[in-house]
Amino acid sequence: MTTPTTPSTPPNPPARGRRRAPSRMERAAGRAAALQRPRVLLALLLLLALTCVMLLDGYLRAEVGGDQRVRTGAPAGDVPDEVLDGGPILSFPGGQATTVSVPDKTIVLTFDDGPDPTWTPQVLEILEKYDVPGTFFLVGSMVSRHPGIVRDMVEQGNEVGVHTFTHVDLSYQSQARVTREIEQTQLALAGAAGITTTLFRAPYSSQTDAIDNYSWPVYESLGEDGYTSVFVDTDSDDWKRPGVSKIVEWATPEDGEGASVLFHDAGGERSQTIEALPKYIEKMKAKGYTFTTVSGAMADQQPTGAGPAGGAPGTTGSGDSLQAAHHAATGATLYEGKALVAAVAVAEWTVPALSVGLVIVGVAVMGRFAMMLVLARRHHRQRNRRRFSWGPPVTGPVSVIVPAYNEKECIEATLRSLARSTHPIEIVVVDDGSTDGTAEIAESLGLPGVRVVRQANAGKPAALNNGVRHARYDIVVMMDGDTVFEPDTVRHLVQPLADPSVGAVAGNAKVGNRRTLIGAWQHIEYVMGFNLDRRMYDLLRCMPTIPGAIGAFRREAVLQVGGMSHDTLAEDTDITIALHRAGWRVVYEEHARAWTEAPGSLGQLWSQRYRWSYGTMQALWKHRRCLTDKGPSGRFGRVGMPLVVLFQVVTPVFAPLIDVFTVYSMVFVDFRAALLAWLAVLAVQLVCAAYAFRLDRERYRYLLMMPFQQLAYRQMMYLVLIHSCVTALTGGRLRWQKLKRTGEVGAPAGTTGTGTG
């Protein structure tokens, strides 16, 4: 039977040989897709930015690569004896190695491994108090993290030098790595204090006798680039924390001799250094010593060469390596340095904030799993008790509404499955302006109790509302045009409506095309995520969504809330919340199974989930005032809304932190510990999934796909949600989109209300 509505004339078929003009809906979908591309790009850029921040933070902490090698006992036959036995200041004027000693009765105070936010300011305070300059050899990663300390250091009149960017032994590194370590430190100095420096000290190499055949080429190369390498005459060994008196004793040179002296202002607990430093300064001043910088020592002393020197003996600070150590950073170096410092500042703020977010998300996720397990078990036991009943059995006929738009591949299987129903039904097919002959196929089947209602293309909500208007019975079942019911599905679905307080019932939607990898992943998601959630929400009496694939409603309740709304893309979530607010109870019936065709490609899956997540956000925003609803009708606002926002929006948006930090920890911290933590989380999820499969009587073999689902499928779902959030924040609009169907789904043979896998 066909019941036309206005305007009901189906579109004329295209003339032979002519290309059909796209419909209004197709044109709108095309425009919507074009508008979404920038938002997809923005979502991907946000993810890329987060990844870059994490990589930068890991690199700054010198844990990338984890190269902790330190060379000892290497031969030094290639190093000139004049260098090994010369002064602590090594330069290469004119390409020849030249050493300079510190003048007698002079101390060059040098400090390694800083800046440190705790100890370096205390060192600077002591130096300022005693009017003593220092030369600080700084680690570039620390400079970029604490630029203000470096700025104060230079303004106070101290000298700075390069101590590499990540404090690695350069004798093990390639030339490219050496260059990168130096250049990045110079950029950090430029960004922090607006300077570059010609001074250099290699990590793990305090005295000239530490130069060996492997490190010597590094010093030669840096010397050719104009760097002056600085060693020490006396080492306080303060890093050993031997006691204040020992530090002072070990830092003191032979009477009357000048010395380059090494202390540390970072790299560990330095309280003994802070206590020893003023005692040392007072002791040396009492012995008639003066304090200077490396540049000052070079200006006051003649070089001793290992060959012809580039400058005449007695040259003091005017040429080659004897120039002042600091130079003003200009041009690209200055701006790149400022960009580096700014990026590090962002990383320094972002990573701790993300760490806190990770803890919150982790607690929320684990809490959700625990809640789902407990409540799902309780729900299953309660609803499957022999004495449990909603009331007198519902035996009267119901109306099944099938909205259909271009469903020629699926409509026959859908209608034939309904025709086998063990519960009396009428079937109202609402053809929403299909152009593929869907209505004609439905009519040609000649199935009893089937009516076809035609309407101009107006969208799924309009089709459902039209079906409600044409329904003859007080209970209406809504389904999708690509869904297949089992014979007992309708009978199970309508039984909760025996309770007069129940206004709607959510059924158990299952993936029919689960043989593909994408289908198997979605099958796990449907069983674990959707159905465990619905059991939990059912017991809490705050069910957020009746799935569009299978749901039963009191016609009275649907009309009371104004029917299906066009305001959101998630009309199923919209009407469910509206029913709660109108005082109706919404429940879940696990035995009412519907087999639906899940998207078969990543593109189709993205489109579907994007519509779902964005539509859910729209529905939550539309009903935001439910937070202040009073009485029984306000239960959703008090319980359901916070849970949905937390578990379906906030937690999934931030859940990638678990994966991002796992990768971060594997690369930069502890691979084994991070892997074990990830496997522990996966084990918890597997337990939940296994229990969900047990409740639904599904085969466990699909759980073998779960680790791969975590690595690929889940990441896509996160990106979809981030995309939806970006669209919502930018005020974007998205129309309902039709997914491509194959019609391959059917109810498993012999199903009469029992689960199957």
Side-chain angles (χ1 to χ4, degrees):
M1 177 178 179
T2 303
T3 307
T5 60
T6 58
S8 61
T9 305
N12 294 324
R16 186 181 300 274
R18 294 179 58 188
R19 190 175 184 179
R20 180 180 66 84
S23 68
R24 176 173 60 87
M25 190 170 188
E26 291 170 333
R27 291 194 301 271
R31 290 193 298 270
L35 290 173
Q36 299 315 311
R37 292 188 190 103
R39 296 188 176 95
V40 175
L41 181 60
L42 181 56
L44 293 174
L45 288 176
L46 288 174
L47 184 63
L48 177 61
L50 175 62
T51 302
C52 291
V53 165
M54 300 295 292
L55 290 174
L56 177 60
D57 183 77
Y59 186 68
L60 290 174
R61 298 178 188 278
E63 290 164 348
V64 62
D67 193 346
Q68 302 296 324
R69 295 174 296 175
V70 179
R71 194 184 300 277
T72 58
D78 296 340
V79 185
D81 293 338
E82 294 84 352
V83 173
L84 294 174
D85 300 330
I89 303 172
L90 172 65
S91 59
F92 289 79
Q96 297 297 323
T98 303
T99 63
V100 173
S101 298
V102 178
D104 292 341
K105 287 284 186 176
T106 304
I107 295 294
V108 175
L109 271 180
T110 68
F111 300 87
D112 279 7
D113 298 346
D116 181 275
T118 300
W119 309 113
T120 304
Q122 297 182 56
V123 171
L124 293 176
E125 184 178 347
I126 294 171
L127 296 182
E128 185 176 29
K129 176 182 177 180
Y130 288 94
D131 193 23
V132 169
T135 302
F136 292 81
F137 290 91
L138 306 176
V139 177
S141 60
M142 300 294 289
V143 173
S144 61
R145 294 169 63 189
H146 309 292
I149 298 176
V150 179
R151 193 158 43 247
D152 294 341
M153 184 183 296
V154 173
E155 291 175 354
Q156 188 175 309
N158 299 288
E159 214 162 48
V160 299
V162 173
H163 199 46
T164 72
F165 195 82
T166 59
H167 203 273
V168 293
D169 189 337
L170 295 182
S171 68
Y172 282 104
Q173 311 307 320
S174 66
Q175 182 59 45
R177 174 70 181 271
V178 172
T179 301
R180 187 166 67 250
E181 290 280 335
I182 303 302
E183 289 181 349
Q184 288 174 342
T185 305
Q186 294 283 27
L187 286 178
L189 289 171
I195 62 166
T196 58
T197 181
T198 59
L199 301 181
F200 168 76
R201 176 177 286 164
Y204 313 109
S205 182
S206 59
Q207 297 179 323
T208 54
D209 60 9
I211 304 175
D212 55 42
N213 293 345
Y214 299 98
S215 60
W216 177 241
V218 175
Y219 292 112
E220 286 185 304
S221 175
L222 292 175
E224 293 173 0
D225 292 336
Y227 284 93
T228 297
S229 297
V230 181
F231 299 87
V232 301
D233 294 299
T234 58
D235 189 343
S236 68
D237 279 339
D238 57 343
W239 61 274
K240 297 178 180 178
R241 303 186 65 200
V244 173
S245 60
K246 285 293 185 181
I247 292 175
V248 173
E249 177 186 346
W250 292 344
T252 303
E254 297 292 333
D255 287 343
E257 293 183 0
S260 170
V261 183
L262 173 60
F263 288 88
H264 293 83
D265 64 319
E269 207 278 340
R270 296 289 175 254
S271 60
Q272 290 187 5
T273 302
I274 299 302
E275 188 177 351
L277 186 57
K279 296 181 183 298
Y280 177 76
I281 294 173
E282 291 172 357
K283 175 182 177 180
M284 301 314 295
K285 282 189 173 183
K287 297 177 70 170
Y289 275 78
T290 60
F291 292 82
T292 186
T293 61
V294 171
S295 295
M298 294 172 68
D300 293 338
Q301 188 67 287
Q302 295 185 17
T304 58
T315 301
T316 60
S318 59
D320 297 323
S321 62
L322 304 184
Q323 295 177 355
H326 294 176
H327 301 281
T330 59
T333 301
L334 178 61
Y335 292 109
E336 289 177 14
K338 289 184 178 296
L340 172 62
V341 170
V344 171
V346 172
E348 286 288 289
W349 175 87
T350 302
V351 173
L354 291 179
S355 300
V356 174
L358 175 61
V359 173
I360 295 173
V361 169
V363 171
V365 169
M366 292 299 105
R368 180 192 183 191
F369 286 151
M371 189 187 310
M372 284 195 305
L373 284 176
V374 171
L375 295 183
R377 173 62 176 168
R378 181 179 174 186
H379 180 277
H380 177 75
R381 295 183 66 180
Q382 180 188 96
R383 298 296 168 82
N384 288 277
R385 291 173 183 165
R386 292 184 179 181
R387 63 180 181 274
F388 177 81
S389 174
W390 294 101
V394 177
T395 57
V398 301
S399 300
V400 179
I401 302 171
V402 185
Y405 173 72
N406 288 346
E407 301 283 4
K408 68 176 182 179
E409 296 87 357
C410 310
I411 193 66
E412 180 176 352
T414 297
L415 296 181
R416 290 194 183 280
S417 74
L418 291 174
R420 292 191 291 268
S421 176
T422 59
H423 193 92
I425 61 172
E426 69 155 348
I427 305 170
V428 182
V429 179
V430 183
D431 183 72
D432 187 36
S434 298
T435 58
D436 65 347
T438 296
E440 289 76 9
I441 294 174
E443 292 172 337
S444 67
L445 296 176
L447 297 175
V450 175
R451 287 187 291 149
V452 177
V453 178
R454 300 175 185 264
Q455 68 175 36
N457 180 249
K460 184 178 179 181
L464 291 171
N465 289 333
N466 201 0
V468 171
R469 287 193 294 270
H470 284 83
R472 294 171 176 167
Y473 302 110
D474 293 333
I475 295 177
V476 293
V477 173
M478 298 182 186
M479 64 184 300
D480 289 336
D482 62 344
T483 301
V484 172
F485 278 10
E486 297 175 3
D488 283 347
T489 294
V490 175
R491 180 174 62 83
H492 284 302
L493 186 64
V494 300
Q495 295 311 309
L497 293 169
D499 185 339
S501 67
V502 175
V505 184
N508 187 348
K510 307 185 78 62
V511 175
N513 53 330
R514 60 181 70 171
R515 295 178 181 176
T516 65
L517 182 62
I518 297 176
W521 286 345
Q522 293 176 85
H523 172 48
I524 296 173
E525 180 187 27
Y526 271 56
V527 175
M528 178 186 174
F530 296 167
N531 291 334
L532 278 185
D533 270 351
R534 290 194 179 104
R535 296 176 192 274
M536 176 182 70
Y537 286 125
D538 188 357
L539 280 187
L540 296 176
R541 298 200 174 191
C542 56
M543 182 83 63
T545 303
I546 299 171
I550 175 170
F553 301 81
R554 292 189 190 277
R555 190 167 181 269
E556 169 194 359
V558 174
L559 297 176
Q560 180 183 349
V561 298
M564 295 290 177
S565 173
H566 292 265
D567 296 339
T568 74
L569 294 174
E571 72 285 337
D572 45 8
T573 301
D574 191 348
I575 194 170
T576 306
I577 299 175
L579 290 171
H580 281 295
R581 300 186 69 188
W584 293 100
R585 184 180 172 192
V586 180
V587 300
Y588 171 61
E589 175 48 64
E590 62 182 279
H591 300 295
R593 295 175 176 85
W595 298 82
T596 185
E597 182 176 343
S601 68
L602 292 177
Q604 291 281 302
L605 179 62
W606 181 287
S607 297
Q608 183 197 65
R609 299 313 168 86
Y610 178 38
R611 178 173 61 85
W612 284 5
S613 58
Y614 184 50
T616 298
M617 292 179 190
Q618 288 179 309
L620 294 175
W621 180 253
K622 175 182 176 180
H623 293 283
R624 61 190 181 277
R625 297 188 185 279
C626 72
L627 293 170
T628 59
D629 289 346
K630 306 296 183 182
S633 62
R635 183 173 181 80
F636 182 83
R638 294 190 302 269
V639 181
M641 177 74 84
L643 288 178
V644 173
V645 172
L646 177 62
F647 292 151
Q648 295 188 25
V649 179
V650 176
T651 300
V653 165
F654 288 97
L657 291 176
I658 297 175
D659 303 304
V660 171
F661 269 84
T662 297
V663 175
Y664 172 84
S665 300
M666 286 180 176
V667 176
F668 300 118
V669 185
D670 188 325
F671 178 86
R672 181 179 178 183
L675 180 60
L676 289 175
W678 186 83
L679 291 175
V681 174
L682 178 61
V684 172
Q685 292 176 306
L686 277 171
V687 169
C688 292
Y691 186 63
F693 271 55
R694 178 171 177 265
L695 293 182
D696 268 22
R697 301 182 183 179
E698 292 286 353
R699 294 178 181 173
Y700 294 116
R701 67 185 184 190
Y702 291 100
L703 295 179
L704 295 175
M705 299 287 188
M706 195 164 181
F708 303 101
Q709 184 199 43
Q710 301 299 301
L711 293 172
Y713 180 81
R714 190 174 70 172
Q715 314 310 319
M716 180 179 178
M717 295 300 100
Y718 293 155
L719 286 175
V720 168
L721 191 56
I722 293 172
H723 183 193
S724 302
C725 290
V726 171
T727 302
L729 292 174
T730 56
R733 301 285 296 176
L734 181 68
R735 289 183 59 87
W736 185 84
Q737 300 174 30
K738 175 72 170 67
L739 299 180
K740 183 179 180 181
R741 302 300 186 184
T742 63
E744 62 180 321
V745 173
T751 54
T752 58
T754 59
T756 181

